[in-house]
Amino acid sequence: MLRRLYPHPFLTLLLIVSWMLLVNQAKLGSLLMAVILGTVIPLLTAPYWPNRPALRNMPALAGYLAVVIYDIVKSNFIVARIVLFMPNSQLRPAWVSIPLDLRTPEAITVLAGTITMTPGTVTSDMSEDGRTLLVHCLHAPDPDGVRDEIKTRYEARLKRIFE
Amino acid sequence: MEFVAEIVISALLVMAGLFGLVGSFGLLRLPDTMTRLHAPTKATTLGVGGVLVASMIYFWVFNGLVSWQELLITMFLLLTAPITANFIAKSYLHLNRGTEKLPAAQDCREWATYAEAERAVEPVMTGAPGQDGPNA
């Protein structure tokens, strides 16, 4: 019963939190509106999203967020240094193909978004069967190293969270 | 307290401005579309992030209220920036079909951008873990 009313509990939670942030005030009326939206929107969109993504490991998710934020800050400085001081002739842009162990669409989406948001790499495409990501690197003298780092640093963690 | 907050806010704003400037400068001086694509994703992370943290501290110290809307802006930025970058990259791949040397995908598959519609392959991804494809 509860499962049918709330097909995606995390989506409901996310909608309630977003609505509360949007109105930016802790009033009972806003909370009521948030709960209504959090109930109706998942129910209406459930037919387009039949499977419930499994989030198995919440502490691992928090750890993943910390790693990603640290990497974003660190690589911002690396890319700034490349942009400011490295002549174009020394720049080694490269395409890297990343074979995926992840199978859930949600996990692959998070991985692709993470790769783009950490400066220096942009997810450009995916193979037609969804098992390989095409990533462009701004400066990668060692493309295999980039692939291995993405696999061990992000994908292994995501696998623990989603699969 | 207020003096310290002013210093922290100014430092964050200056740092954010510098990263925004470096991002725009990168857009100017990098050699081609794909390398230029890296510049705007940078400006949105530390550049915009710095302004948002500064705004949170400002409202907290000087107006006495905690403003959480900045978190929402961060969230929407983190959601939309990768999608825009992905679509720019995909149109670049279409425009430079054949001239760009791409690495091979796993199992000799085509990249999705180049795949022919009539022989499209059903994705092997599954929503329910545990009942995966043959390699799982």
Side-chain angles (χ1 to χ4, degrees):
Chain A
M1 174 61 203
L2 202 63
R3 215 184 159 103
R4 186 151 349 133
L5 192 59
Y6 293 102
H8 298 294
F10 287 114
L11 179 62
T12 305
L13 203 65
L14 188 70
L15 282 166
I16 291 178
V17 171
S18 323
W19 184 260
M20 293 311 283
L21 291 177
L22 207 59
V23 294
N24 217 9
Q25 54 186 9
K27 285 193 182 148
L28 196 62
S30 326
L31 186 63
L32 189 69
M33 190 64 196
V35 171
I36 293 174
L37 286 173
T39 310
V40 172
I41 294 177
L43 277 181
L44 287 179
T45 53
Y48 305 103
W49 195 11
N51 293 315
R52 184 195 289 238
L55 282 179
R56 278 143 209 262
N57 201 334
M58 292 313 260
L61 185 63
Y64 181 73
L65 280 180
V67 167
V68 170
I69 290 172
Y70 173 77
D71 282 2
I72 286 177
V73 173
K74 189 184 73 179
S75 37
N76 257 284
F77 285 96
I78 296 174
V79 171
R81 210 172 56 213
I82 292 176
V83 165
L84 290 178
F85 302 118
M86 190 176 283
N88 280 345
S89 55
Q90 278 182 32
L91 202 61
R92 296 274 174 278
W95 293 99
V96 181
S97 147
I98 298 182
L100 292 173
D101 292 323
L102 294 170
R103 286 291 172 270
T104 43
E106 291 84 7
I108 296 176
T109 312
V110 174
L111 178 65
T114 308
I115 292 172
T116 301
M117 289 323 285
T118 47
T121 48
V122 168
T123 313
S124 308
D125 203 0
M126 178 185 237
S127 67
E128 55 184 343
D129 59 352
R131 302 186 90 152
T132 319
L133 281 182
L134 179 63
V135 172
H136 187 266
C137 306
L138 177 60
H139 178 67
D142 171 27
D144 288 346
V146 173
R147 186 195 62 209
D148 294 342
E149 196 190 337
I150 289 174
K151 281 194 80 71
T152 52
R153 205 168 166 78
Y154 306 125
E155 196 189 13
R157 284 187 168 86
L158 283 173
K159 206 163 172 63
R160 254 176 280 145
I161 297 170
F162 282 96
E163 295 183 359
Chain B
M1 178 64 192
E2 295 208 343
F3 180 65
V4 178
E6 273 176 12
I7 290 180
V8 172
I9 293 171
S10 324
L12 280 169
L13 286 178
V14 169
M15 185 205 72
L18 281 178
F19 272 101
L21 191 67
V22 169
S24 322
F25 180 60
L27 207 57
L28 268 178
R29 66 146 284 216
L30 289 171
D32 58 62
T33 315
M34 280 315 293
T35 47
R36 279 193 204 119
L37 187 54
H38 290 276
T41 44
K42 268 87 276 180
T44 53
T45 47
L46 265 200
V48 180
V51 175
L52 292 174
V53 174
S55 154
M56 280 184 90
I57 297 176
Y58 174 82
F59 279 106
W60 178 47
V61 173
F62 293 95
N63 290 17
L65 54 95
V66 187
S67 166
W68 295 104
Q69 281 179 325
E70 283 82 358
L71 289 182
L72 208 58
I73 300 175
T74 317
M75 199 176 83
F76 288 143
L77 269 178
L78 289 181
L79 283 180
T80 52
I83 299 173
T84 349
N86 181 229
F87 271 79
I88 295 174
K90 266 170 132 28
S91 35
Y92 172 83
L93 288 176
H94 271 295
L95 288 171
N96 292 277
R97 183 166 194 169
T99 54
E100 192 71 45
K101 272 182 82 73
L102 298 177
Q106 210 177 193
D107 306 333
C108 306
R109 297 287 193 202
E110 275 281 15
W111 294 108
T113 307
Y114 294 158
E116 307 289 340
E118 55 266 33
R119 48 171 221 90
V121 181
E122 192 67 16
V124 290
M125 300 180 288
T126 50
Q131 26 182 300
D132 287 348
N135 288 20

